Amino acid sequence: SAVISQKPSRDICQRGTSLTIQCQVDSQVTMMFWYRQQPGQSLTLIATANQGSEATYESGFVIDKFPISRPNLTFSTLTVSNMSPEDSSIYLCSVGQGSSTEAFFGQGTRLTVV
Amino acid sequence: QKEVEQDPGPLSVPEGAIVSLNCTYSNSAFQYFMWYRQYSRKGPELLMYTYSSGNKEDGRFTAQVDKSSKYISLFIRDSQPSDSATYLCAMSGSRDYNKLIFGAGTRLAVHP
């Protein structure tokens, strides 16, 4: 499986600011995804990061709030914009290969908005 | 109703016990079923992967899928304190196979 590194691992941010989370994979991968894991809840898919084109967002998530970049097959960023305390969560990067449904996760970014 | 239901626990068992973890789901289109293990402050780690119905065994772990009942299970034999973690079930359909729908996760504590 791929080795996935996320930065930062945790952060405390002021409301109204933005935070960009980086996801680096040690090998080229077809699929990259961003999930959110709110306290005591299951993982929810935010969007699929598409290399060279706009991300595909799930219902309830919009580009203005969660802009995503994917400049190549090993790197993606997720920005959480204009943060509020409701954005306090763990944000996880996930990767998959081709037709395989097996998805692998980074260690997550624990975000607290105050 | 959530698409995937999973009892959040916590589940506490003595070392050596057989653990049974379960999820039910409502979407009959789900074809791919996974179990992830998540230690505190870590990302989910893929434990078992099953396609369609049937059983799959890997060491002390056995995954079962019963599509007729829309019910999946993970059994852990000879449980160890190191198995203490949150176990998440996840599933997807053949059309959007990369879009995983997760259960809430069950917290398991194995005490010596």
Side-chain angles (χ1 to χ4, degrees):
Chain A
S1 62
V3 176
I4 306 162
S5 301
Q6 269 188 248
K7 290 181 182 179
S9 58
R10 60 190 308 154
D11 207 342
I12 301 172
C13 300
Q14 296 290 324
R15 67 175 68 203
T17 63
S18 297
L19 176 72
T20 295
I21 302 167
Q22 298 181 1
C23 178
Q24 178 74 55
V25 192
D26 69 342
S27 58
Q28 292 186 345
V29 292
T30 310
M31 313 291 288
M32 293 184 79
F33 309 91
W34 288 97
Y35 284 82
R36 181 173 72 184
Q37 187 175 27
Q38 293 180 302
Q41 297 190 29
S42 60
L43 280 75
T44 302
L45 180 62
I46 297 172
T48 302
N50 300 309
Q51 194 257 331
S53 64
E54 194 170 284
T56 305
Y57 290 84
E58 297 301 308
S59 175
F61 298 97
V62 295
I63 187 171
D64 290 346
K65 177 66 176 178
F66 297 102
I68 288 170
S69 78
R70 189 177 174 193
N72 56 52
L73 293 176
T74 64
F75 186 79
S76 177
T77 66
L78 168 75
T79 298
V80 186
S81 303
N82 188 25
M83 289 183 285
S84 67
E86 292 71 36
D87 295 319
S88 297
S89 188
I90 299 172
Y91 292 86
L92 294 141
C93 171
S94 172
V95 305
Q97 281 289 23
S99 60
S100 171
T101 59
E102 297 180 35
F104 302 94
F105 287 82
Q107 80 277 18
T109 296
R110 185 177 294 268
L111 170 63
T112 303
V113 183
V114 296
Chain B
Q1 182 189 6
K2 295 179 181 178
E3 275 193 288
V4 179
E5 298 277 1
Q6 183 177 10
D7 187 338
L11 182 62
S12 181
V13 302
E15 183 175 355
I18 296 174
V19 176
S20 173
L21 304 166
N22 311 293
C23 288
T24 60
Y25 62 94
S26 57
N27 190 342
S28 58
F30 287 147
Q31 295 278 357
Y32 304 94
F33 304 91
M34 284 138 279
W35 285 95
Y36 285 83
R37 178 174 61 194
Q38 187 175 24
Y39 291 112
S40 179
R41 301 184 181 279
K42 300 287 186 182
E45 169 195 8
L46 181 62
L47 208 56
M48 299 286 283
Y49 164 79
T50 310
Y51 170 70
S52 195
S53 284
N55 294 358
K56 186 172 184 178
E57 188 173 321
D58 183 1
R60 295 185 296 111
F61 299 90
T62 300
Q64 287 186 351
V65 175
D66 182 350
K67 290 191 68 182
S68 63
S69 301
K70 296 189 180 70
Y71 187 88
I72 70 171
S73 301
L74 177 71
F75 297 96
I76 307 174
R77 290 183 297 280
D78 187 25
S79 56
Q80 304 294 311
S82 58
D83 295 327
S84 298
T86 296
Y87 290 80
L88 301 143
C89 64
M91 45 199 81
S92 64
S94 55
R95 186 177 175 184
D96 293 315
Y97 54 84
N98 288 120
K99 291 187 181 180
L100 300 183
I101 309 299
F102 281 84
T106 300
R107 277 175 44 204
L108 171 67
V110 181
H111 51 86

